[in-house]
């Protein structure tokens, strides 16, 4: 098993795009980043795109892919342990400043083992999240709709909504600038919804559909206004708008210990697709 790293997104897409698209749900983060980088024409922060090649396969088939945009974590596709180790080795040889890794459990653990061996660093385990997916028709919204309405977020709300993004990402290590960029992208694309009952009570964001898959992120309700139906109503509206835009599948990531959120998502028909783990290097 070998791997190659490039700063050219188009080169990565040509080599590993089919592999990433073979599992648009499990690889939804990587797919979104890949499509976003292509649409930007390669403009933006430096990214390290890496793919593993299985020489034992006829023609040297792609066995895995990942991307690292420092100072963010390296994002892994689903892959065998040997492919993940090859990706880690290639990134190290390239001199990429990898702060940590996020990916399916087996692949992430193999990446960590190779990276810590090569660098002498230590790895600290972070969040474990379940990948949930929905393919079925949308259920009807139970109960009464709370006061207020769903609407699209506006540019004038960027700073307060950045606070919502930070709250939703508590424990992820995301900086305010990163949260602000994410909020700005979703506002600009029209994919960030808020529930407004005189003030913003909740937010739900989503990515544009890639291969028919929409990833829902972030989701946050003002703490003192929880358990009033805001999240459920806004989540239902988000699914309806995604379907109207052509989504056939929805995916989201939820922390393993967040049973309340999982209960909400499962009530809409979401089911477990797998698990991802996060590690940070020190």
């Amino acid at each position: 098993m070998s791997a190659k790293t490039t700063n050219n997104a188009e080169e990565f897409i040509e080599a590993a795009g089919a592999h990433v698209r073979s599992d648009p749900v499990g690889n939804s983060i990587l797919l979104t980043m890949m499509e976003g980088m292509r649409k930007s024409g390669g403009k933006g922060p430096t990214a390290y795109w890496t793919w593993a090649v299985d020489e034992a396969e006829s023609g040297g088939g792609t066995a895995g892919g990942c991307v690292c945009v420092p100072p963010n974590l390296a994002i892994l596709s689903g892959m065998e342990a040997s492919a993940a180790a090859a990706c880690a080795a290639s990134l190290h040889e390239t001199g990429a400043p990898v702060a940590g890794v996020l990916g399916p459990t087996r692949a992430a653990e193999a990446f960590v083992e190779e990276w810590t061996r090569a660098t002498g660093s230590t790895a600290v385990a972070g969040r474990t999240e379940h990948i949930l997916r929905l393919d079925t028709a949308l259920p009807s919204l139970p109960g009464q709709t709370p006061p207020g309405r769903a609407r699209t977020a506006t540019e004038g709300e960027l700073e307060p909504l950045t606070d919502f993004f930070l709250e939703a990402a508590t424990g992820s290590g995301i900086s305010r600038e990163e949260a602000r960029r994410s909020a700005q992208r979703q506002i600009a694309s029209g994919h960030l919804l808020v529930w407004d009952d005189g003030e913003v009570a909740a937010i739900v964001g989503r990515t544009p559909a890639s291969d028919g898959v929409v990833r829902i992120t972030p989701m946050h309700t003002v703490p003192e206004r929880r358990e009033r139906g805001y999240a459920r109503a806004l989540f239902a509206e988000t699914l309806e708008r995604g379907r109207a835009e052509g989504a056939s599948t929805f995916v989201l990531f939820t922390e393993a210990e967040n049973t309340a959120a999982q209960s909400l998502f499962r009530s809409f028909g979401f089911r477990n697709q797998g698990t991802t783990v996060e590690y940070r290097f020190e």
Side-chain angles (χ1 to χ4, degrees), residues 50 89 130 190 278:
T50 304
H130 294 314
E278 172 189 296

Side-chain angles (χ1 to χ4, degrees), residues 76-93:
L76 306 183
S77 73
M79 65 183 91
E80 296 296 324
S82 57
C87 286
S90 179
L91 282 165
H92 177 247
E93 291 168 4

Side-chain angles (χ1 to χ4, degrees), residues 45-70:
T46 299
Y48 296 85
W49 301 89
T50 304
W51 65 97
V53 177
D54 186 355
E55 295 94 343
E57 186 176 327
S58 177
T62 299
C66 73
V67 61
C68 179
V69 184

